[in-house]
Amino acid sequence: MSDKQVELNEHGHELLAWSDDSRHDVDEADHYVLMADAIRDLLIEKGVIKAGDVREQLEFMDSRSEDMGARIVARAWANPDFKERLLANGTEAIKEFDIPMLDAELVVVENTNEFHNMVVCTLCSCYPRTILGMPPDWYKSKTYRSRSVNEPRAVLKEFGTDLADDVAVRVHDSNADMRYLVLPLRPEGTDGWSEPELAKLVSRDSMIGVSPATEPATEPET
Ligand code: FE
């Protein structure tokens, strides 16, 4: 057994660090935060990275949001050549937006009237963060990760997406090497719209595949 660290409290009673029950209150998230901090400090101490690298990376990730993805989808809707390139090689195609994929490849999957695509990471929380920003909490939850592969239609229904029986669902499991982006169906009544106008109809959830793109608002009655 390891050495006991014996400390005394204000009443002179022994406090045993390793048997102190209050330490069990630390939840799992805190544990991983502590571990991440320790690893970062060690990498800096060993000269593998600099403290500024961590800050720069955090700043970069904070600057990402689903607006990037919405611009990509809008261009694919508006420009058939771009759409073809995007579906053939997502990683290459998004370079024209100056969006890096870092170490992962981007695979873009297109929703059609026959197929509906949805994305999950069953193992952890892999997500195209440089395109959509940080994933929502539900995406990282065990419930979504397990249910989206076991009963995707039921999950979609809870998101308000009720698919017709003749639409097949394809669930894509992301991993460290492969990130997926759903190209939602272009809403009806948007012919001739500009890319910035189209982009406003593209929600984060439609690019994860749990909801359709937003329908254009009908003209207000005058
Ligand atoms: Fe993951």
Side-chain angles (χ1 to χ4, degrees):
M1 181 172 284
S2 61
D3 288 343
K4 286 181 184 176
Q5 294 281 318
V6 179
E7 295 171 35
L8 300 180
N9 68 12
E10 69 270 32
H11 307 296
H13 296 140
E14 276 187 15
L15 286 174
L16 302 181
W18 51 267
S19 65
D20 180 358
D21 275 341
S22 68
R23 291 176 188 228
H24 298 168
D25 294 340
V26 175
D27 69 23
E28 223 181 48
D30 288 338
H31 170 77
Y32 287 110
V33 169
L34 284 173
M35 194 157 70
D37 285 350
I39 291 170
R40 181 202 57 208
D41 290 348
L42 271 172
L43 289 171
I44 292 169
E45 197 179 302
K46 302 267 180 203
V48 180
I49 58 170
K50 297 193 189 80
D53 297 339
V54 179
R55 185 196 53 74
E56 269 175 31
Q57 199 54 232
L58 286 172
E59 206 171 57
F60 171 72
M61 290 315 298
D62 281 347
S63 72
R64 307 280 102 184
S65 78
E66 65 257 34
D67 294 354
M68 312 266 168
R71 284 167 56 213
I72 295 170
V73 169
R75 183 162 304 173
W77 283 345
N79 180 333
D81 287 344
F82 176 72
K83 178 176 155 184
E84 196 178 325
R85 284 188 283 120
L86 185 69
L87 294 172
N89 186 338
T91 317
E92 199 56 37
I94 63 164
K95 283 182 181 165
E96 66 184 73
F97 289 88
D98 206 19
I99 301 174
M101 277 305 295
L102 304 180
D103 294 334
E105 295 293 324
L106 177 68
V107 177
V108 179
V109 285
E110 182 186 17
N111 282 352
T112 65
N113 291 324
E114 288 81 42
F115 295 105
H116 181 91
N117 298 281
M118 69 189 279
V119 181
V120 65
C121 172
T122 54
L123 196 62
C124 44
S125 58
C126 297
Y127 188 75
R129 292 170 192 230
T130 56
I131 299 174
L132 297 182
M134 300 304 274
D137 286 343
W138 57 259
Y139 184 84
K140 298 182 279 185
S141 70
K142 276 186 184 163
T143 313
Y144 178 74
R145 284 157 44 205
S146 55
R147 289 188 61 222
S148 56
V149 282
N150 287 319
E151 44 174 353
R153 281 177 190 277
V155 173
L156 287 171
K157 214 167 190 170
E158 286 164 28
F159 276 97
T161 304
D162 206 354
L163 292 179
D165 289 342
D166 60 354
V167 178
V169 182
R170 288 175 169 165
V171 183
H172 303 272
D173 194 2
S174 315
N175 59 46
D177 302 321
M178 204 77 84
R179 306 292 158 84
Y180 293 92
L181 184 78
V182 174
L183 178 60
L185 275 171
R186 178 173 176 164
E188 302 279 336
T190 56
D191 288 353
W193 283 35
S194 69
E195 285 183 32
E197 285 172 324
L198 288 168
K200 290 185 188 144
L201 304 177
V202 187
S203 64
R204 174 196 69 195
D205 289 359
S206 71
M207 292 181 278
I208 302 175
V210 293
S211 78
T214 311
E215 291 297 322
T218 46
E219 290 295 320
E221 286 177 30
T222 49

